[in-house]
Amino acid sequence: MKTPSFARRLASAALISTLVALPLIAQTRVTMPKNKYKVQDDIKLGRDASRQVTQQFPLLNDNQSERYVESVGERLVAAIPPEFQQTAFDYQFDVVNARDINAFALPGGPMYVNRGMIEAARNEGEMAGVMAHEISHVALRHATAQATKQSSIGNTLGTLGMIFGGAILGGQGGAQLGMMGAQIMQTRYSRDYETQADILGSRIMANAGYDPRDLANMFRTIEQQSGGGRAPEWMSSHPNPGNRYQSINREAGQLNVVSNPRKVTPEFSRVQERLRSMPRARTMAEIQRDYQRTGGRSSQTQSPIANGNYSRSVSAPSTRSRVYSNSAMSMNVPSNWQDFNTSGQVWFAPDGAYGNEGITHGAMVGAARSGSTNLSQATSQYINELLQANSYLRQDGSPTRTTVAGRTGFATVLSGRSSVTGRTEVVTVYTAQLRSGDLFFVATVSPEEEAYRYDNVFRNMVSSIQLNDQ
Ligand SMILES: [Zn+2]
């Protein structure tokens, strides 16, 4: 059964109180949403994703900040109303060294709070507000409840595909789930669930000695500090169910709030000052870009890609070709191009055309998780992610139909001024669907003024591809 919208319930409650002049509006009731998954499923999903998060996101690893955020988290977890406590859940708290005002929690309990969020909060209550809201999503098992509504877990967790690049085709079987962590982070909750998390979050806040109004205030702080323009990430994952600020404040009026709630604590001030004095943290966009450049390896490890040097004179593609093959596919490539396995993709490039900033001449082949079985939709989603991660590129015209690896496919042309060569670069992205539903892609790259040398090479490469995904 669908819960009536919170706004409607409030409206009718308000009506009753004015007409009949009831002295009190009762606390809004929260019920566990319908869920066909087991509690153990939440735990497993969260654990798998948190492993990826720790690999792909820079954790701050600063004892003092970490211990402090943990202590606030533990105080909140202890304040979860008994009917929403899951003994099997393991709430854990980590600080991500990222500048964006963001935080996210994974099913079963692992939570990540960005350094930017702690720096932005005006007091401990505001920081605790975001955490209490996140804890509420976990306690109410919203990720799997949403999957229950949508019929598959993949839908909930994977609609955004992989931002950090593909998986599967580099022959690294283990990389198949790709950037699941990032996807979960970007799960957009429904308005019903947002309302529930606001209400339960307020109750947890009050139980833990905070003023729930600080949860409402934090939404304003985030808006203000994000300086207009782009909607802050946290707000887009947690959309306003309508009158959020007023609703939380009204709920707070129904709760027992201690007379001297925790606001600016000495520990909060100390940690905030400490974080603000650290070197500027990267933004999530920068972290993603660096991750792509280094192929997921930390900067200490030398990857073959990192050993590359860009050269102004890159030799033309050889007219002779060689066969590249791995367990997932085979294709013909010019015999003077090397191949590199990097974050689950295979890159092909001649000497002088690869390095830390990616490739200037060559091709990248991989697969991305797709939220749509419709190739055209999956393609445009993927292209949008590429454009977001590579802000210098623009799309030239709409995708055109073509054949990729013997299948129906699309070719989408992007271009922009490359910061490596200082010249206009043309990137053509070929996409087709894999039997698994994932999106197969080949991105070919060359400077615009040399494109005439590469057109045939790229066409032959794309038509020679054989996929082993029967
Ligand atoms: Zn939310």
Side-chain angles (χ1 to χ4, degrees):
M1 204 187 78
K2 208 173 166 298
T3 355
S5 84
F6 183 51
R8 237 174 60 204
R9 256 182 291 161
L10 264 188
S12 51
L15 197 68
I16 292 167
S17 67
T18 37
L19 289 182
V20 195
L22 287 178
L24 274 179
I25 308 169
Q27 281 177 27
T28 313
R29 228 162 64 90
V30 177
T31 44
M32 265 325 246
K34 200 173 140 228
N35 200 321
K36 68 174 180 192
Y37 294 93
K38 294 195 286 286
V39 169
Q40 281 305 323
D41 292 331
D42 287 51
I43 295 170
K44 178 164 191 325
L45 273 171
R47 205 172 276 158
D48 290 350
S50 81
R51 213 170 293 132
Q52 306 218 348
V53 170
T54 6
Q55 271 169 21
Q56 291 163 350
F57 295 176
L59 297 184
L60 184 65
N61 291 324
D62 172 61
N63 271 339
Q64 198 176 318
S65 328
E66 207 82 28
R67 264 203 311 271
Y68 168 65
V69 171
E70 258 163 36
S71 72
V72 171
E74 278 157 18
R75 182 176 299 118
L76 293 168
V77 168
I80 301 173
E83 67 270 32
F84 299 113
Q85 278 177 18
Q86 294 284 355
T87 44
F89 280 4
D90 186 10
Y91 291 93
Q92 284 184 15
F93 305 89
D94 275 303
V95 179
V96 178
N97 193 15
R99 210 174 160 201
D100 317 53
I101 307 178
N102 204 356
F104 63 100
L106 301 174
M111 185 187 299
Y112 299 86
V113 183
N114 275 9
R115 186 180 140 194
M117 178 70 89
I118 308 170
E119 289 185 43
R122 287 183 308 167
N123 57 48
E124 183 176 304
E126 290 195 353
M127 180 187 88
V130 167
M131 294 171 72
H133 178 99
E134 293 283 0
I135 287 172
S136 302
H137 281 304
V138 174
L140 293 163
R141 304 181 55 211
H142 279 163
T144 44
Q146 197 148 311
T148 303
K149 282 201 287 196
Q150 290 176 340
S151 82
S152 101
I153 268 194
N155 277 345
T156 311
L157 305 180
T159 43
L160 276 157
M162 278 175 297
I163 298 186
F164 287 28
I168 304 170
L169 290 175
Q172 301 169 336
Q176 291 205 357
L177 285 175
M179 271 312 296
M180 189 136 112
Q183 288 159 13
I184 290 181
M185 186 184 84
Q186 285 155 356
T187 297
R188 197 184 146 92
Y189 291 106
S190 71
R191 280 160 204 272
D192 277 0
Y193 290 174
E194 281 310 301
T195 301
Q196 289 192 336
D198 283 348
I199 297 169
L200 182 57
S202 300
R203 206 174 298 167
I204 293 173
M205 291 278 280
N207 288 350
Y210 292 101
D211 184 347
R213 291 170 190 89
D214 278 333
L215 167 57
N217 294 337
M218 188 61 189
F219 284 101
R220 294 216 159 153
T221 300
I222 294 171
E223 272 166 359
Q224 284 161 7
Q225 302 241 358
S226 307
R230 219 169 65 90
E233 191 64 43
W234 199 71
M235 307 291 261
S236 52
S237 312
H238 303 269
N240 188 341
N243 294 323
R244 164 171 259 162
Y245 184 83
Q246 293 79 357
S247 308
I248 296 173
N249 279 314
R250 196 181 315 213
E251 194 66 28
Q254 307 307 317
L255 296 166
N256 266 328
V257 180
V258 294
S259 57
N260 188 18
R262 292 176 70 89
K263 296 254 183 195
V264 178
T265 60
E267 301 93 309
F268 175 79
S269 308
R270 211 175 306 132
V271 165
Q272 197 174 48
E273 201 174 308
R274 187 177 168 83
L275 295 177
R276 284 177 175 167
S277 69
M278 288 179 184
R280 175 190 175 280
R282 286 178 295 168
T283 63
M284 286 309 295
E286 287 166 340
I287 292 165
Q288 289 177 7
R289 212 178 45 220
D290 294 350
Y291 185 87
Q292 267 175 336
R293 279 179 189 166
T294 59
R297 295 166 181 89
S298 74
S299 48
Q300 287 91 341
T301 351
Q302 285 285 311
S303 79
I305 291 286
N307 289 333
N309 280 313
Y310 296 106
S311 153
R312 277 211 63 91
S313 54
V314 169
S315 33
S318 164
T319 50
R320 292 181 40 199
S321 63
R322 67 181 177 95
V323 178
Y324 169 87
S325 72
N326 66 25
S327 60
M329 59 146 196
S330 69
M331 67 193 288
N332 298 341
V333 293
S335 57
N336 64 332
W337 287 9
Q338 305 187 46
D339 54 84
F340 309 94
N341 272 355
T342 173
S343 61
Q345 301 179 6
V346 194
W347 293 8
F348 301 97
D351 278 342
Y354 61 88
N356 267 335
E357 316 266 315
I359 61 175
T360 60
H361 304 64
M364 300 164 157
V365 183
R369 272 188 81 195
S370 162
S372 176
T373 49
N374 175 312
L375 177 61
S376 158
Q377 270 177 24
T379 296
S380 67
Q381 268 178 18
Y382 181 65
I383 296 292
N384 284 337
E385 286 154 21
L386 281 182
L387 291 172
Q388 266 174 26
N390 300 278
S391 55
Y392 69 99
L393 290 174
R394 296 280 172 279
Q395 185 173 338
D396 300 337
S398 359
T400 52
R401 279 201 173 272
T402 182
T403 304
V404 178
R407 300 175 189 189
T408 306
F410 281 107
T412 312
V413 180
L414 317 174
S415 66
R417 192 176 168 281
S418 154
S419 60
V420 178
T421 59
R423 296 184 286 168
T424 301
E425 176 177 283
V426 182
V427 178
T428 306
V429 184
Y430 297 89
T431 46
Q433 198 132 44
L434 290 170
R435 310 261 181 251
S436 63
D438 290 336
L439 190 72
F440 172 75
F441 65 83
V442 182
T444 64
V445 185
S446 79
E448 189 177 37
E449 57 201 33
E450 293 175 48
Y452 68 96
R453 280 181 173 169
Y454 288 84
D455 283 349
N456 275 328
V457 174
F458 290 151
R459 204 168 301 133
N460 291 338
M461 278 176 66
V462 170
S463 64
S464 73
I465 297 170
Q466 293 191 340
L467 296 169
N468 309 330
D469 62 337
Q470 301 308 323

